[in-house]
Amino acid sequence: MKDATAALYIVATPIGNLADISARAIDVLSSVDLIAAEDTRHSKFLLQHHGIETSTISLHEHNEQQRSELLLSKIVDGNSIALISDAGTPLISDPGFRLVNMAREKGIKVVPIPGACAVITALSASGLSAERFTFEGFLPPKVTARRQALEKLVSEPRTMIFYESPKRMVGCLQDMLAVFGGERKACLARELTKMFETIVTLPLAELVEIVIMDTNHQKGEIVLLVEGESTVADTDETEQARVLQILLNEVPLKQAASITASILGIKKNKAYDMALKLQQK
Ligand code: SAM
């Protein structure tokens, strides 16, 4: 690419390993007229590493409104501008929403240049279901608000993904344990693509224990993932009751519950409670 066409380019940059940037991203960053960066000093390192000499201007949460107006007027005048954040994909828990929103309202072309994002990177290696997921961003820092936010998610069937600061990690995991229960699987993905990359997926009770015991797990950049509530149990209770009833007519209660749990993939204690209720009817 020689000169980038006048447009707003949303360019993903690495989340750790400087090599995790696409050839297209380097091409765009080298050929635009100006790069808007969350922190120009931070991004200088990446740009220098890839031999990119384009001028930079800051765009962060405190100046986004007024900077967006300036940048969009430059695009209207025929310039091309790229937006980058300190790491990963702009707008994902990073500035840029107002800029993109205003650009689209003004009919200015917005071109995404995809690349690294900690949410997707963590999910892809977590071992938790990636079929359906919800990204919750950062939980509230205050304990009461965090508990309330987690309680709202207690019946969420999709894999839940959170960004968390290392200093709040233990408290956050303990709250997750209290709200979701010790059996629910969770993944701690820290320092992704970096030297001390660690990805651990365990039931919450075990995960909390190892994180408290090994303080290395409390350092660096962290993504937490929690598996969704098993939907099998909720989607087909009529079917569960039907299978249980057939078995209750043939075998003792405990065995009926155990076989039902195996056949339908539900928790044994859930099948047991249901069998008790059926027998009392
Ligand atoms: N825009 C970024 C993205 O696309 O992922 C996220 C920016 S947000 C301000 C920073 C948070 O992302 C960190 O606190 C951490 O939760 C997560 N994160 C970023 N890089 C990470 C990495 N290498 N390993 C684990 N988590 C990371």
Side-chain angles (χ1 to χ4, degrees):
M1 194 190 279
K2 244 205 145 39
D3 287 316
T5 322
L8 173 63
Y9 295 85
I10 308 301
V11 183
T13 57
I15 54 167
N17 188 321
L18 290 183
D20 290 335
I21 185 163
S22 71
R24 186 170 171 228
I26 294 175
D27 207 3
V28 166
L29 291 174
S30 306
S31 54
V32 288
D33 296 302
L34 188 61
I35 298 172
E38 188 180 2
D39 178 342
T40 51
R41 272 181 306 176
H42 175 96
S43 294
K44 210 171 157 190
F45 186 63
L46 170 81
L47 298 176
Q48 270 175 357
H49 180 85
H50 290 289
I52 297 163
E53 291 171 354
T54 311
S55 307
T56 56
I57 187 172
S58 72
L59 181 138
H60 45 72
E61 56 174 327
H62 304 296
N63 71 0
E64 188 172 345
Q65 181 70 33
Q66 139 223 28
R67 263 298 139 84
S68 296
E69 280 161 23
L70 172 77
L71 295 173
L72 296 177
S73 71
K74 283 182 182 290
I75 300 175
V76 171
D77 289 345
N79 294 292
S80 53
I81 301 215
L83 173 72
I84 58 174
S85 61
D86 285 354
T89 302
L91 279 84
I92 308 302
S93 295
D94 268 342
F97 167 68
R98 269 176 284 181
L99 176 65
V100 172
N101 192 250
M102 283 165 69
R104 298 202 71 86
E105 275 179 4
K106 286 181 193 285
I108 290 171
K109 194 172 173 195
V110 181
V111 184
I113 310 293
C117 178
V119 181
I120 302 298
T121 309
L123 180 64
S124 68
S126 67
L128 301 181
S129 170
E131 209 166 308
R132 295 180 70 220
F133 60 90
T134 162
F135 172 53
E136 297 294 321
F138 286 95
L139 283 162
K142 297 238 166 79
V143 178
T144 316
R146 181 172 68 206
R147 268 283 179 124
Q148 282 167 352
L150 289 172
E151 269 153 17
K152 281 196 194 140
L153 292 168
V154 73
S155 304
E156 172 59 62
R158 296 168 292 184
T159 298
M160 293 160 271
I161 310 175
F162 307 86
Y163 283 166
E164 193 47 284
S165 115
K167 59 176 192 283
R168 291 194 285 271
M169 230 255 296
V170 171
C172 177
L173 276 173
Q174 284 170 328
D175 279 354
M176 286 175 167
L177 173 65
V179 172
F180 299 121
E183 283 178 28
R184 194 80 81 89
K185 267 205 247 159
C187 172
L188 165 77
R190 60 177 281 271
E191 293 293 89
L192 294 165
T193 76
K194 303 187 209 174
M195 189 186 293
F196 297 108
E197 177 178 271
T198 314
I199 303 167
V200 191
T201 302
L202 286 170
L204 265 167
E206 288 172 52
L207 188 63
V208 173
E209 214 171 288
I210 69 147
V211 169
I212 290 174
M213 265 166 42
D214 182 351
T215 52
N216 283 323
H217 289 318
Q218 300 169 25
K219 294 176 190 155
E221 297 200 277
I222 293 154
V223 184
L224 290 174
L225 303 92
V226 180
E227 78 175 342
E229 195 192 37
S230 164
T231 44
V232 186
D234 297 323
T235 47
D236 212 350
E237 294 208 340
T238 320
E239 176 65 0
Q240 289 160 26
R242 192 182 70 82
V243 174
L244 261 175
Q245 193 57 67
I246 294 170
L247 288 164
L248 280 172
N249 295 338
E250 307 293 333
V251 295
L253 184 142
K254 215 169 156 187
Q255 207 179 343
S258 172
I259 298 170
T260 304
S262 303
I263 295 172
L264 298 178
I266 60 173
K267 296 215 169 91
K268 263 192 199 159
N269 52 0
K270 161 121 198 178
Y272 188 78
D273 290 345
M274 200 180 240
L276 278 177
K277 280 187 199 138
L278 281 174
Q279 226 178 30
Q280 282 157 13
K281 274 190 181 167

